Amino acid sequence: TAQQQNGCTETDDIVLTVSPLPTCSIDGPSQVCPGSTSQFRAPSGTAYAWSITGNGRISGPTNAQTVTVIAGSACGTGFSLALGVTSNSCSSICEFPVMVEDTTPPSLICPAPLTVTCAGQIPLPNPGLVTATDACGGAVTVVNPEPLEPFGD
C-alpha cells in the first residue's frame, strides 16, 4: 500500500512463489570391497556437484547424476561421498558414508580326496595344488598351518 501526501492510497498485491529445496539423496552400496569400482546415483532433474573424502576417489565427471568411485586399498577405513544439488537457484547438500571392507572369506578348491593303503603313501602337503580366490579380488596365499606328523605303518 502506498499513500500520497494528499491522502490518496493505492494497494496492489504481489504473488511470490517459493521453490522448495531440491531433494538431495545418494543411492549406492554402503559397503564396498577394497579397490572395487562402484556407482552412486542422485535424484534426477537437478545440477550436481560430487566430492569425496577418505579412502576412495572419484573416477570421471563430478557433475553428472551418477558418479563412479574407486575404493582405496585400506580395509576397515571408509570414505564419505558428498553431493550438492541445485534446482531453481536453491541448493541442498547431503553425505553418504561408505565402509571399505572385505567381509567375504576366500574360497578354496582342494584336490580330490586320496585313498592310500598304508601311511607311507601319504604325499607331503602341496599348497600349490590348492586354488584360492577372494570375492574382493585381493591376493590370497595358501599355507599349511599344521605340521605334518608321521603315521605308523
Side-chain angles (χ1 to χ4, degrees), residues 55-68:
N55 187 24
R57 65 180 175 85
I58 293 175
S59 174
T62 59
N63 61 349
Q65 185 179 2
T66 60
V67 68
T68 300

Side-chain angles (χ1 to χ4, degrees), residues 43-94:
S44 61
T46 62
Y48 310 95
W50 296 92
S51 62
I52 192 169
T53 57
N55 187 24
R57 65 180 175 85
I58 293 175
S59 174
T62 59
N63 61 349
Q65 185 179 2
T66 60
V67 68
T68 300
V69 173
I70 300 173
S73 59
C75 273
T77 304
F79 59 84
S80 182
L81 193 57
L83 171 63
V85 293
T86 303
S87 179
N88 297 319
S89 299
C90 296
S91 298
S92 290
I93 297 172
C94 54

